Amino acid sequence: MFKRISKVFLIATTVALSGCASQSMLPPSSSEADFSAPEGKVGWSSYRETALFRNASEEHVYDAAKLALGETGFALRSADRSARRVTGEHGITLHDWNVIAGIYYKPTPAGIHVLVQVEGSKDTGFSGDVTGDGWTGKIMSRMRQHIGR
């Protein structure tokens, strides 16, 4: 009986964890992120938003990205200036096992181009794909407040 319960628990845990969002779902660096891809809901529990910050330095955008993640409830997971990438993870919400966010930036002649990409858990759950689409906007809004634009 115990062996059967153990097997069922192991299978259920494997299925539950296979849908969790992970850092590997995000591009490893700004040079590999697609800043020109469509915005909004772009896949199962996947959202993107871009912005151009004129007259902002890379350092200012980098610092604003870290602050914005923290202020929106994300724990900082990685911050890499050379990759121009900052990532965070938000724990369990009412709709997800977890949510991850990546903020990418690159200098352009017009200013610093920023991409916020959010991935939610990929499980089907009882309600299907219900990851909140407001994460990218919340993060970008906090960045705008810190940068002053």
Side-chain angles (χ1 to χ4, degrees), residues 20-41:
C20 288
S22 70
Q23 297 291 314
S24 64
M25 295 173 149
L26 297 171
S29 70
S30 176
S31 63
E32 296 178 52
D34 187 356
F35 287 79
S36 63
E39 292 183 274
K41 183 175 176 62

Side-chain angles (χ1 to χ4, degrees), residues 26-36 48 58 80-86 103-107 113 115 117:
L26 297 171
S29 70
S30 176
S31 63
E32 296 178 52
D34 187 356
F35 287 79
S36 63
R48 298 170 41 90
E58 284 190 62
D80 186 341
R81 287 181 196 267
S82 63
R84 294 180 172 133
R85 173 187 189 214
V86 177
I103 302 173
Y104 303 87
Y105 58 94
K106 67 178 181 178
H113 198 176
L115 163 66
Q117 184 171 331

Side-chain angles (χ1 to χ4, degrees), residues 40-82:
K41 183 175 176 62
V42 294
W44 183 274
S45 300
S46 185
Y47 300 87
R48 298 170 41 90
E49 186 171 335
T50 62
L52 179 66
F53 291 94
R54 299 180 191 281
N55 303 318
S57 68
E58 284 190 62
E59 183 176 337
H60 201 177
V61 169
Y62 175 78
D63 291 339
K66 292 188 299 182
L67 289 168
L69 284 175
E71 291 170 353
T72 55
F74 285 80
L76 185 65
R77 288 293 172 238
S78 70
D80 186 341
R81 287 181 196 267
S82 63

Side-chain angles (χ1 to χ4, degrees), residues 1-2 18 22 33 35 43-45 51 72 88 96 98-99 104 134 145:
M1 178 73 168
F2 180 73
S18 67
S22 70
F35 287 79
W44 183 274
S45 300
T72 55
D96 287 292
N98 68 319
V99 178
Y104 303 87
Q145 289 176 359

